[in-house]
Amino acid sequence: MTQSKHDDPNPGRAFASLSPPVWRGSTVVFDSIRDFCARAARSPDGFSYGITGTPTARLLEDRIAALENGKRCVIAPSGAAALMMVVMSYVRAGDHLLLSAASYSSLASLADKWLANLGVEVEYYPPRIGAEIEERIRPNTRMICLESPGSITMEMSDVPAIAEVARRHGVLTMIDNTWASPLGFRPLDHGVDFSVEAATKFFSGHSDVMMGSVAMQSEEHYAVLRDAQGTLGLQVSPEDCFLVLRGLETLAVRVRAQGEATYRLASWLESQPLVERVWYPPLASDPGHAWWKRDYRGKGCLFSLQLAPAPQEAFDAFFDALRHFSIGASWGGVHSLVAYYPAEMQRNRRYSATDRPLIRLAIGLEEPDALQADLAAALGAFAERRA
């Protein structure tokens, strides 16, 4: 069938919906050859090819930017891809990169396996750091990568102090803010240049989407990252954009409920005889609590446990006894998850906070009473096999 470009698929029929439309397409068509030849001028906001998104993606980016109290946002196919996009956009051979030792493992792999081999000087710094990071800045320092709280051991950094030092020295700052979400902490308000979220987690909320986002204030940075998105081929499915847009509708309700349940369970676990330590900044016992209390509004849904010394069989029994927690590495969805990080992994980490195995818990939207009973049974099974 031959179709005219002027055909209207829905003539005279108005349609309004509370749900955003899903714009799909790889090819953008132009009204004239002049428009086609000038298509590069449409960047960074306009559309010239599907790899930089459709109106569905732009709507999501606008909403995330508003949540972050930023002016601009660029999305990527995963949280890891968002982190890589920022670093690869700015760091070059001969530059010095400061990286938190508690950063997400994919970012550390990029630094160790790629950047170091490309002539970038990679230096890890202790996660519990503030203004003293100034001692590590060199004339060629290009970027500081933060994650606060840090992965697994939840170390807090003094983010405003680090951002202030970086700005004085003309150094860029990027933070993985996924733990708090912009509802709990807004890095851009504290002087950070790039706020990265794994939209896979809280934004999506249902463990069925992979996506990342980068929010910023600078139009110049926005243009650079939009160009990087196209150059690196970091296209995001419009269907996934729709799912995250839908997830954002319940974000505040979920984050609040999950945070309250998490605080309750973490506080209870802290009182259990076989629990040596709970790694969770909202608890007054946590070393980073003062910085969390000063800067953060949300309690997060992720924390780690350090249990009493025991053979591996006891840890196996702990996991086998759980009924409401699924074993999995992600978090931020409505279902509770548990993960295990062996002692060897902790010993091999730079500036490791412990040399003991850790259990990481992500609290979902199940009844807190049921989750507490589940954990009590697991601790009981742990005790039996520990004896």
Side-chain angles (χ1 to χ4, degrees):
M1 181 179 71
T2 301
Q3 185 176 15
S4 166
K5 65 180 181 180
H6 301 295
D7 285 350
D8 184 348
N10 200 22
R13 297 186 181 95
F15 180 82
S17 172
L18 293 173
S19 298
V22 177
W23 291 76
R24 303 179 75 250
S26 60
T27 302
V28 174
V29 296
F30 300 83
D31 291 334
S32 70
I33 190 62
R34 288 177 181 243
D35 286 342
F36 179 78
C37 292
R39 65 191 183 279
R42 296 185 173 193
S43 184
D45 261 343
F47 305 101
S48 60
Y49 192 61
I51 205 163
T52 58
T54 70
T56 310
R58 293 292 186 276
L59 176 60
L60 176 58
E61 290 171 339
D62 289 346
R63 290 190 179 175
I64 293 175
L67 277 172
E68 299 268 15
N69 201 25
K71 293 180 180 176
R72 295 293 193 172
C73 173
V74 177
I75 56 174
S78 68
L83 292 167
M84 312 306 162
M85 180 169 63
V86 176
V87 174
M88 296 301 289
S89 293
Y90 288 96
V91 178
R92 300 289 183 267
D95 287 343
H96 174 235
L97 177 70
L98 281 167
L99 186 64
S100 169
S103 292
Y104 184 54
S105 58
S106 292
L107 184 58
S109 293
L110 174 74
D112 295 340
K113 298 178 181 178
W114 294 83
L115 297 181
N117 293 330
L118 293 172
V120 176
E121 298 179 64
V122 177
E123 179 184 351
Y124 288 87
Y125 64 85
R128 293 193 183 98
I129 199 169
E132 63 270 25
I133 201 169
E134 187 164 20
E135 301 168 5
R136 297 172 181 267
I137 292 180
R138 307 175 190 172
N140 62 331
T141 302
R142 180 60 167 151
M143 182 178 288
I144 301 173
C145 298
L146 304 94
E147 182 167 348
S148 182
S151 291
I152 306 174
T153 39
M154 309 292 155
E155 297 97 332
M156 292 292 298
S157 300
D158 189 344
V159 177
I162 294 172
E164 193 277 328
V165 168
R167 284 196 178 274
R168 279 196 285 108
H169 288 270
V171 175
L172 295 170
T173 48
M174 173 185 76
I175 187 170
D176 185 333
N177 191 52
T178 308
W179 183 92
S181 89
L183 299 184
F185 182 63
R186 285 178 166 172
L188 303 182
D189 290 351
H190 296 273
V192 176
D193 293 300
F194 303 102
S195 178
V196 176
E197 311 281 351
T200 306
K201 311 293 197 297
F202 269 142
F203 285 2
S204 162
H206 293 82
S207 306
D208 55 5
V209 177
M210 297 290 292
M211 195 183 297
S213 67
V214 186
M216 68 218 80
Q217 298 287 10
S218 166
E219 294 287 345
E220 181 180 348
H221 290 330
Y222 173 64
V224 170
L225 289 185
R226 181 69 75 203
D227 180 68
Q229 182 190 47
T231 300
L232 298 173
L234 299 177
Q235 186 266 346
V236 179
S237 159
E239 283 80 7
D240 287 349
C241 291
F242 173 85
L243 290 174
V244 174
L245 281 164
R246 186 168 66 178
L248 292 181
E249 298 288 346
T250 59
L251 177 66
V253 176
R254 289 185 286 103
V255 167
R256 187 183 311 115
Q258 288 175 254
E260 292 304 321
T262 302
Y263 184 80
R264 168 185 160 177
L265 291 167
S267 301
W268 172 78
L269 283 164
E270 194 175 37
S271 69
Q272 301 307 298
L274 290 174
V275 176
E276 287 192 345
R277 182 171 177 180
V278 178
W279 304 78
Y280 185 54
L283 292 177
S285 59
D286 191 273
H289 178 72
W291 284 339
W292 173 86
K293 186 176 181 180
R294 182 192 67 190
D295 297 331
Y296 285 65
R297 297 186 302 275
K299 296 185 174 71
C301 73
L302 191 71
F303 66 98
S304 295
L305 299 178
Q306 182 175 304
L307 300 183
Q312 185 60 44
E313 291 77 11
F315 287 92
D316 294 342
F318 178 95
F319 279 81
D320 289 343
L322 293 170
R323 295 293 175 265
H324 293 287
F325 288 84
S326 298
I327 300 174
S330 193
W331 56 273
V334 299
H335 302 291
S336 294
L337 294 169
V338 60
Y340 182 67
Y341 299 92
E344 181 182 6
M345 178 181 177
Q346 306 311 317
R347 288 192 292 266
N348 290 337
R349 296 180 73 188
R350 300 172 181 87
Y351 303 105
S352 180
T354 182
D355 61 358
R356 303 277 295 284
L358 294 179
I359 295 170
R360 193 179 73 175
L361 296 171
I363 305 305
L365 287 178
E366 300 91 347
E367 283 295 326
D369 287 343
L371 296 177
Q372 183 171 316
D374 208 22
L375 291 168
L379 288 171
F382 178 83
E384 290 181 8
R385 296 299 296 270
R386 181 172 177 261

